[in-house]
Amino acid sequence: AQSVTQLGSHVSVSEGALVLLRCNYSSSVPPYLFWYVQYPNQGLQLLLKYTSAATLVKGINGFEAEFKKSETSFHLTKPSAHMSDAAEYFCAVTDPGGKLIFGQGTELSVKP
Amino acid sequence: EPEVTQTPSHQVTQMGQEVILRCVPISNHLYFYWYRQILGQKVEFLVSFYNNEISEKSEIFDDQFSVERPDGSNFTLKIRSTKLEDSAMYFCASSGDAGSNQPQHFGDGTRLSIL
């Protein structure tokens, strides 16, 4: 069965610092992985997806994620945090039927 | 860019009452989903819907829940007799294909509060 674990329910960085949000997955089949972002009072917006093409995936707003099969990880990074990046971030994997299985979410705070 | 829209944004209902949450998926999408997020918990799958029938449902989606696509544009979630534990944010999503690699596009959600 598919599952996702996000390490750290809350991450705080300074503006301009590296953002690293961790995601590990478990999947019985080659996984399709997604990162979604949720700004306050809004829905889930797709940041990026991994669908077995390139292992380094670039998304919107300067975010990227690297798929590492040996580590069963799909961590999200951004070289330089901006105040507008403050939001909740969700890692998700799809099961063969197509439904999304989400991690617990990581709230990112950005300090000036 | 096309969007999934959900109404209402906030619904307050007395326990035991019926509630209908509405969604307008992206117009050329064929696969529809409902998820919910109880405050402080992870987003959970409720049901998927394709070709006018349920494709898959979770254990949460019991006899009190139903979904319908009454016309060519709306996709609704009905809870027949609401319970306190139904209080949550409900998200509708749609995708153009059922493939596991296809991204789902989400609405802004309906916050359901049961009193």
Side-chain angles (χ1 to χ4, degrees), chain B residues 74-110:
Chain B
N74 290 285
F75 178 51
T76 62
L77 174 70
K78 179 160 70 175
I79 308 175
R80 267 180 266 282
S81 178
T82 50
K83 303 189 267 293
L84 292 176
E85 54 264 37
D86 293 328
S87 295
M89 183 74 106
Y90 288 80
F91 292 106
C92 173
S94 69
S95 69
D97 196 343
S100 298
N101 62 343
Q102 296 303 309
Q104 294 174 24
H105 299 264
F106 284 77
D108 283 347
T110 293

Side-chain angles (χ1 to χ4, degrees), chain A residues 6 36 38 43-44 88-93 100-105, chain B residues 34-46 60 88-93 104 106:
Chain A
Q6 291 183 241
Y36 283 86
Q38 184 180 28
L44 298 163
E88 184 130 26
Y89 292 80
F90 294 93
C91 183
V93 64
L100 285 166
I101 298 162
F102 286 88
Q104 288 281 101
Chain B
W34 283 101
Y35 294 83
R36 79 171 186 189
Q37 184 182 28
I38 294 172
L39 188 64
Q41 298 184 23
K42 63 169 69 176
V43 178
E44 304 171 286
F45 168 78
L46 289 178
I60 304 166
M89 183 74 106
Y90 288 80
F91 292 106
C92 173
Q104 294 174 24
F106 284 77

